[in-house]
Amino acid sequence: MIKQAPLAEAARRHLLDPAASLKTLGQKALPRLDRAEGIYVVDENGHRLIDGPAGMWCTQVGYNRREIAVAMAEQAMNLSYTSPWYMGNAPSIRLAEKIASLTPSDLNRVFFTTGGSTAVDTALRFVEFRNNVRGLKDKKGIIVQVDGYHGS
């Protein structure tokens, strides 16, 4: 059996802090969260904190939601993934239908991605594809904001 280091030591030695300077890499560990419920997270010292950014925008409905965990587990045991490029599945079809019912006018098609970066990348690819289909193959310029945030 492999001997495990205490969590703080293992984190300091093995986790990459994406915001750390390379000069100080490995000198300290990031604070650790141990559990969560609702809008709260609890750190390694027992401090209960409101998770304002919702897990960096991934837990807007809160933590420890049994009905969501059950639905996720059931779906994972039935069909955990299908590529949106090649196949559809009932949950994504029903969700797309629901989203389309809430959008205005002709905004009635949905493409699911895994996050902000892939959503922006996919939107750019769709625009380029549409222009190619329309015969506008030279229409490739994209206006961007310097240092504009588009996702991770």
Side-chain angles (χ1 to χ4, degrees):
M1 184 170 169
I2 298 173
K3 183 180 178 195
Q4 293 182 318
L7 283 174
E9 175 65 15
R12 186 185 65 73
R13 291 178 51 207
H14 302 294
L15 284 180
L16 177 63
D17 176 356
S21 162
L22 290 179
K23 292 179 181 178
T24 60
L25 186 63
Q27 292 180 12
K28 64 178 184 171
L30 290 170
R32 188 182 77 239
L33 295 178
D34 285 341
R35 63 186 188 281
E37 183 168 352
I39 65 168
Y40 298 98
V41 293
V42 180
D43 73 10
E44 60 196 296
N45 299 311
H47 297 118
R48 191 170 177 227
L49 311 162
I50 294 175
D51 183 6
M56 293 303 276
W57 314 286
C58 297
T59 58
Q60 295 88 340
V61 295
Y63 294 95
N64 201 14
R65 297 280 305 270
R66 183 162 304 282
E67 69 276 20
I68 293 174
V70 168
M72 289 170 62
E74 288 174 359
Q75 185 60 45
M77 294 305 295
N78 183 50
L79 179 64
S80 62
Y81 177 77
T82 55
S83 171
W85 293 102
Y86 309 108
M87 300 282 179
N89 61 67
S92 65
I93 292 166
R94 290 298 177 216
L95 182 57
E97 181 180 46
K98 175 66 175 179
I99 292 169
S101 76
L102 300 171
T103 58
S105 188
D106 64 346
L107 296 175
N108 54 21
R109 294 201 183 266
V110 176
F111 183 80
F112 295 107
T113 70
T114 56
S117 296
T118 55
V120 170
D121 181 67
T122 301
L124 293 173
R125 289 173 190 261
F126 277 140
V127 167
E128 190 170 270
F129 173 76
R130 183 171 186 269
N131 285 335
N132 286 345
V133 169
R134 294 173 57 212
L136 303 171
K137 296 184 185 307
D138 293 330
K139 192 170 183 178
K140 306 290 185 198
I142 297 170
I143 298 171
V144 299
Q145 178 181 342
V146 174
D147 295 329
Y149 182 78
H150 67 278
S152 298

